Amino acid sequence: MLSAVGLTGLAGCGGDGNGDGAGAIPGSEYPAVDEWMTETDIGDADDTYEGEIVDLRDESDVTIDVGAEGNGDGFAYGPSAVAVSTGTEVLWEWTGEGGQHNVEAEPDDQLGESDYEFSSGEAVEGDDIEYSRTFDDSGIALYHCEPHLSLGMKGSIVVD
């Protein structure tokens, strides 16, 4: 199991963090997110991104599926664009779909606009893999799956 931080405090939190019933923020309010998610010069555009950022700022922890439906079959993050509050723990959970995945935030490879740099490590396959990170500072995290960037497997997190 991959983990950047401990997974304490996940049980009994205020929501499931999957975006059900959550509001949305127009992507145009965050041009770097909108550009990253629709950019085709660096990988393909993410076909799951519809110009909106899922507003999860009321959640204490958020879960993002790795290998969600999209960009073919199992080549997306779900949800792919979210807004969270500072101090929120984001947990990426592999679904087992789409083969080997990882989570890579490398500012130089992401329009030079990402305020965060992190990595889940080498791409791995399975449905029992997790990676987490707590976002303590305001900013924007742009990330991708190395093996599937060309298919549009991109994600973004606005930390407010």
Side-chain angles (χ1 to χ4, degrees):
M1 178 188 302
L2 300 172
S3 180
V5 295
L7 298 179
T8 59
L10 290 177
C13 291
D16 61 11
N18 66 6
D20 293 345
I25 301 167
S28 59
E29 290 187 21
Y30 294 92
V33 169
D34 209 43
E35 181 181 1
W36 173 244
M37 300 304 290
T38 60
E39 175 66 55
T40 57
D41 288 339
I42 304 171
D44 203 355
D46 175 27
D47 71 13
T48 69
Y49 177 71
E50 297 178 353
E52 294 184 328
I53 300 165
V54 179
D55 188 353
L56 300 174
R57 292 177 290 186
D58 289 337
E59 304 292 329
S60 59
D61 60 81
V62 171
T63 299
I64 297 174
D65 290 336
V66 179
E69 188 174 323
N71 304 312
D73 188 20
F75 302 113
Y77 297 105
S80 61
V82 300
V84 301
S85 298
T86 55
T88 300
E89 180 178 32
V90 175
L91 174 67
W92 287 268
E93 288 185 334
W94 275 239
T95 65
E97 300 297 320
Q100 295 184 343
H101 300 293
N102 65 354
V103 180
E104 295 289 317
E106 301 168 337
D108 290 342
D109 295 340
Q110 291 143 339
L111 310 172
E113 298 287 336
S114 187
D115 297 314
Y116 290 89
E117 186 170 352
F118 53 86
S119 172
S120 66
E122 294 296 318
V124 292
E125 184 173 4
D127 62 0
D128 61 347
I129 299 163
E130 298 176 341
Y131 171 73
S132 67
R133 178 177 179 90
T134 300
F135 291 87
D136 291 323
D137 299 313
S138 294
I140 295 173
L142 306 177
Y143 62 92
H144 68 276
C145 172
E146 279 184 328
H148 303 119
L149 177 60
S150 65
L151 299 175
M153 191 167 176
K154 298 176 179 180
S156 56
I157 299 170
V158 173
V159 185
D160 192 17

